[in-house]
Amino acid sequence: GAVVSQHPSWVICKSGTSVKIECRSLDFQATTMFWYRQFPKQSLMLMATSNEGSKATYEQGVEKDKFLINHASLTLSTLTVTSAHPEDSSFYICSVGRRERNEQFFGPGTRLTVL
Amino acid sequence: AQSVTQLGSHVSVSEGALVLLRCNYSSSVPPYLFWYVQYPNQGLQLLLKYTSAATLVKGINGFEAEFKKSETSFHLTKPSAHMSDAAEYFCAVTLDNFGNEKLTFGTGTRLTIIP
C-alpha cells in the first residue's frame, strides 16, 4: 500500500513564528492529499483538501491565511502554520487518497507545540 | 451531510473477552464506512472498511464489523481481546468511492484491556 511520511515528527516553536510541515507520498503519485488536526483526546477534524496544481479547499472555520497549504508536486504537500500561537498546538496528520483502493493512507503525524 | 456517532468514549474489557465498539452512521445515500486504530502519537491504521460488497467485513488483527442498514450501525467486534489491542479506535464515513473524498470521523473510543 501507499506509504506516507511526515516531517518533522514533532516541533516546538515560539509564539509568532511559522512552522512548515511536509507530507510525502513515497510510492504513489497523489493528486489529492488531506490535512487533519487532532487536539488531545479528540477526534480528527479535516482542515483542508490539498489538490496538486491548484488551490486547497478549506473546511469551514479554518483560516486559509493562517494555514497555508501548497501541493507543489504529486508527491509533496506542505502545511505552513503562520504566526503560530499556543492554541495552534495540536497533532497534524496528513493522508493520501487512493481511488482504486477506496482508501486513505495516513501519515504518522506531526506534533506541534507552540510556547 | 454524513456523520458517525461512537457510543462510549472509553471501553474496558478483560484480556480474552469480547470486544464490542459501537458506531452508528447517518447518511442520505449509501455510505462507505471505515474503522481505524490509532496508537499513541501515531497516525491512523485501517482495520477494515465497508464498501457495499459484503455486510460482514473482516479486517486485520482479528477484528470484524457488520453493516446493518436497518440499524444504521457498523459495530466493531473481536472475539478475544489481546493486550496489544489497547488503543484509540475511530469510526469514519465517506459518501464517495473514495480516494478523493474527505472522511468524517467519530469522536473515538479508547479501548483499555484489563490483564
Side-chain angles (χ1 to χ4, degrees):
Chain A
V3 176
V4 181
S5 69
Q6 284 185 238
H7 178 80
S9 56
W10 60 270
V11 57
I12 301 173
C13 69
K14 293 182 179 180
S15 184
T17 60
S18 295
V19 175
K20 179 184 285 188
I21 302 170
E22 293 185 349
C23 176
R24 291 183 183 274
S25 175
L26 299 182
D27 67 346
F28 176 72
Q29 292 185 327
T31 56
T32 302
M33 294 184 179
F34 301 90
W35 285 97
Y36 295 86
R37 178 169 55 186
Q38 184 181 32
F39 290 108
K41 301 186 186 301
Q42 296 188 28
S43 188
L44 280 75
M45 299 298 294
L46 180 68
M47 299 176 65
T49 301
S50 171
N51 301 294
E52 190 271 336
S54 64
K55 293 182 179 180
T57 302
Y58 289 82
E59 294 298 298
Q60 190 173 7
V62 178
E63 300 177 58
K64 62 179 65 177
D65 293 331
K66 181 171 184 60
F67 299 99
L68 301 178
I69 291 174
N70 183 18
H71 196 150
S73 74
L74 290 173
T75 59
L76 174 64
S77 176
T78 60
L79 168 67
T80 301
V81 183
T82 62
S83 187
H85 288 90
E87 58 265 30
D88 299 323
S89 298
S90 187
F91 195 52
Y92 293 86
I93 304 176
C94 71
S95 71
V96 171
R98 291 193 65 163
R99 178 172 287 275
E100 78 281 7
R101 290 283 301 272
N102 193 34
E103 184 178 341
Q104 282 186 19
F105 293 87
F106 286 81
T110 296
R111 182 161 301 283
L112 170 64
T113 301
V114 184
L115 302 177
Chain B
Q2 69 276 20
S3 66
V4 289
T5 301
Q6 291 184 242
L7 298 176
S9 58
H10 291 86
V11 171
S12 296
V13 301
S14 298
E15 188 176 15
L18 171 72
V19 175
L20 170 61
L21 304 182
R22 300 178 185 274
C23 174
N24 287 88
Y25 70 90
S26 174
S27 174
S28 58
V29 298
Y32 295 87
L33 294 160
F34 303 78
W35 275 101
Y36 286 89
V37 61
Q38 184 182 34
Y39 297 99
N41 295 312
Q42 295 186 26
L44 274 68
Q45 180 181 9
L46 180 67
L47 283 176
L48 48 81
K49 58 185 178 184
Y50 167 74
T51 58
S52 76
T55 56
L56 181 61
V57 182
K58 294 186 182 297
I60 63 171
N61 302 339
F63 285 94
E64 63 180 38
E66 185 173 8
F67 175 76
K68 293 186 176 181
K69 184 177 179 180
S70 61
E71 299 177 7
T72 61
S73 69
F74 190 58
H75 301 330
L76 181 71
T77 61
K78 182 174 180 177
S80 177
H82 191 273
M83 295 300 295
S84 61
D85 295 327
E88 187 87 18
Y89 291 80
F90 293 96
C91 182
V93 63
T94 189
L95 296 182
D96 188 73
N97 186 15
F98 191 61
N100 295 331
E101 285 295 321
K102 68 177 184 180
L103 282 165
T104 300
F105 286 88
T107 51
T109 298
R110 181 170 299 277
L111 177 63
T112 300
I113 309 299
I114 304 168

